[in-house]
Amino acid sequence: MKYEIIDFHTHPFTFPEGNISAHREYIDITPENTPEYLNKVGISKIVGSAVTKRDANLSLAENMVKSNNETISLAKKYEGFLIPGFQVHPACVKESCLEIERMYNKGLRYIGEIVPHGEWCDFSRKEYDEILDTALAFNMMVNIHSTDTDNIEELVKKHPKNIIIAAHPGEKERFLKHLERMKLSENFYLDLSGTGIFRLGLINRGIKEFGAERFLFGTDFPVCTPSMYVGGIAFDPSISENDKELILSKNAKRLFKECGVNI
């Protein structure tokens, strides 16, 4: 592969059942061989927080801290292959803000992917505001899961200085919502993981309207097949060489540098 590829959206795992592929029993991917597998696809580094085993005897906040510690340990095991992210949760705002400070002191600058469930799916809730304010104070970027009814635009309006990366372009209606959100803040980005990129012309439309600088390569591994996402950018003749390089690695490097970290 002639391109450097940084996968901005992954879910590495620390135990076999943490492989959240729907067909994990049919493909031999383990915590030990994950770097080798992704290297063969052409991916040189990955970003994300690990899927870890929950402890039923611990509270939500305690499990959050435990998971973040295990992600850092996995990053050390992978010797630079994993750029660790970490988890926060709106149900425990105080503890989440303390985690942001703790992770900052450990050199981390990437929060997420935040995947809200149930009552927390509305990003306009006030609980997110203190977390985003603290993230900004510590120069952190935030990756958030997107759906069709999540009020991300309200989050962007209230926090235009935060670097917010929405995960998953989605089908046409959701993608158009993302493009409208991009108009609200120059700090709003879209990672190309999950549903969407397989629709011919989707990424071309985004580049035409906002430039390649606002899009980040992601696969959602191990949910999705990484080689399809690599091919969707690297082998598309309708995307310029410069735009490919921006999406595949240069945009990720720039954002981390803006947060004070060279990757």
Side-chain angles (χ1 to χ4, degrees):
M1 179 63 65
K2 67 177 181 178
Y3 304 104
E4 179 182 9
I5 302 177
I6 298 173
D7 190 340
F8 207 78
H9 187 123
T10 65
H11 301 284
F13 47 99
T14 61
F15 64 111
E17 293 76 21
N19 179 350
I20 54 178
S21 166
H23 309 284
R24 68 187 182 209
E25 64 269 33
Y26 296 100
I27 185 164
D28 183 25
I29 300 177
T30 67
E32 290 70 32
N33 68 18
T34 287
E36 178 186 8
Y37 173 82
L38 292 174
N39 281 158
K40 288 180 179 178
V41 178
I43 295 169
S44 56
K45 290 182 184 292
I46 64 174
V47 183
S49 56
V51 178
T52 60
K53 190 176 295 186
R54 294 186 62 82
D55 186 334
N57 296 314
L58 299 180
S59 67
L60 173 63
E62 290 169 333
N63 268 301
M64 176 179 70
V65 172
K66 171 179 174 291
S67 180
N68 293 339
N69 288 338
E70 291 180 15
T71 296
I72 292 172
S73 294
L74 187 64
K76 291 178 180 177
K77 178 180 177 180
Y78 285 171
E79 299 181 339
F81 178 70
L82 168 61
I83 302 163
F86 65 96
Q87 290 295 313
V88 297
H89 199 288
C92 44
V93 173
K94 179 181 177 181
E95 294 87 348
S96 292
C97 292
L98 289 172
E99 274 299 90
I100 291 173
E101 181 175 5
R102 186 173 77 95
M103 293 295 106
Y104 175 86
N105 291 329
K106 291 181 177 294
L108 278 65
R109 299 293 185 271
Y110 181 94
I111 300 171
E113 171 196 16
I114 299 177
V115 185
H117 298 282
E119 63 181 314
W120 303 107
C121 287
D122 183 354
F123 280 108
S124 68
R125 289 185 60 130
K126 62 180 178 61
E127 287 85 355
Y128 287 104
D129 292 334
E130 187 174 348
I131 291 174
L132 267 289
D133 288 341
T134 305
L136 181 61
F138 285 95
N139 202 20
M140 297 272 189
M141 65 184 89
V142 184
N143 185 292
I144 58 175
H145 182 80
S146 65
T147 66
D148 297 322
T149 56
D150 44 29
N151 282 328
I152 291 175
E153 60 278 355
E154 297 303 319
L155 193 73
V156 177
K157 288 177 184 177
K158 288 190 287 186
H159 302 279
K161 294 183 179 180
N162 284 80
I163 297 174
I164 298 174
I165 304 106
H168 318 316
E171 293 290 0
K172 184 177 180 180
E173 182 179 352
R174 187 193 306 173
F175 181 62
L176 293 180
K177 283 185 179 180
H178 284 314
L179 297 186
E180 287 299 311
R181 291 160 180 157
M182 286 184 171
K183 298 176 183 177
L184 299 174
S185 169
E186 293 182 354
N187 292 316
F188 182 79
Y189 295 81
L190 182 62
D191 91 51
L192 300 174
S193 64
T195 308
I197 193 174
F198 58 85
R199 298 302 187 192
L200 183 62
L202 179 144
I203 185 60
N204 306 79
R205 182 174 193 160
I207 292 172
K208 177 73 172 178
E209 293 197 27
F210 291 96
E213 292 82 359
R214 300 286 289 278
F215 299 93
L216 297 146
F217 177 80
T219 67
D220 211 13
F221 168 86
V223 177
C224 301
T225 305
S227 56
M228 293 183 65
Y229 291 81
V230 171
I233 301 297
F235 302 143
D236 190 332
S238 70
I239 302 175
S240 73
E241 290 298 300
N242 182 64
D243 287 348
K244 288 177 182 180
E245 290 177 355
L246 287 169
I247 292 169
L248 291 172
S249 65
K250 288 185 176 180
N251 292 338
K253 287 185 171 182
R254 173 175 54 83
L255 287 183
F256 271 101
K257 188 174 183 179
E258 289 178 9
C259 292
V261 176
N262 291 316
I263 62 170

